[in-house]
Amino acid sequence: TLDSAEGVKYFYPLVPLQREARLVPNDPLFADQWHLQNTGQTGGLPGADANVVNVWDTYLGNCVVIGVVDDGMDTVHPDLTNQFRSDLSWDFNFNDPDPAHDMLFDGHGTAVAGVAAAQGNNAQGVSGAAPGAELAALRLISLPSTDAQEAAALTYRYTVIPTVNTDVIDIYSNSWGPADAWDWLMGPGPLTMAAMNDAMNNGRGGLGSIYTW
């Protein structure tokens, strides 16, 4: 028999298997997003990317809310407006519920929000890494911020009581920090550190709020 034949390492029946195409967003600028799918389109190393495309058939980030702590967000941008959660957003610079900004001066938060969760496969713009996630805009860095403001922004709408995920912010995305000057490099203050420590231990019903920098 084959299982005792010399030189046979393994054998199996040749059964046809149906292979399925993977999701490739139809967004016109997706081909330029080398950080999501690097084909060497900008001269880089093919495959050197975030390696997220292969999971999009199963996971898109649905039911996850990402709080973008930044300089605001273009809340009516066609790639962001359907993801935007006005009920979970706040402007900590001007203390009001409108985190939109003047694109002539601020635009960093909009770009960060797009990288995180721009609506994918909608035939316009780009796709976010988690195109099914929702976005809370937490405007903080358009003006100088205090330790108290930073603590409030970095724990806004987190909860220690288990609820439906869409009622709270799960992840706080941060692409900012102090000026890189050697003589006064300052990290987070004591109020911010205490607030983050509390959220990391108790947020999301005890699972812990997630912070990215």
Side-chain angles (χ1 to χ4, degrees), residues 12-150:
Y12 61 95
L14 294 175
V15 178
L17 300 174
Q18 181 65 49
R19 301 303 188 184
E20 302 292 340
R22 297 300 184 191
L23 172 65
V24 177
N26 60 14
D27 307 281
L29 298 178
F30 175 71
D32 298 331
Q33 293 185 271
W34 62 267
H35 57 287
L36 295 183
Q37 188 174 58
N38 193 341
T39 61
Q41 62 268 59
T42 60
L45 179 66
D49 52 44
N51 197 29
V52 297
V53 175
N54 290 336
V55 304
W56 278 346
D57 287 296
T58 307
Y59 303 105
L60 292 172
N62 299 75
C63 299
V64 172
V65 180
I66 301 171
V68 179
V69 185
D70 215 284
D71 62 6
M73 185 187 300
D74 181 358
T75 60
V76 295
H77 189 288
D79 254 350
L80 302 177
T81 186
N82 290 333
Q83 320 295 83
F84 174 57
R85 290 287 301 270
S86 61
D87 59 318
L88 297 179
S89 299
W90 191 260
D91 186 333
F92 290 89
N93 290 141
F94 296 96
N95 196 35
D96 64 55
D98 182 10
H101 55 75
D102 186 340
M103 286 296 292
L104 292 176
F105 301 99
D106 295 321
H108 190 263
T110 296
V112 170
V115 169
Q119 183 177 353
N121 212 36
N122 64 344
Q124 58 185 340
V126 299
S127 174
E134 295 177 310
L135 293 163
L138 305 175
R139 190 181 190 189
L140 175 71
I141 65 171
S142 290
L143 298 173
S145 54
T146 67
D147 185 21
Q149 286 175 305
E150 293 176 7

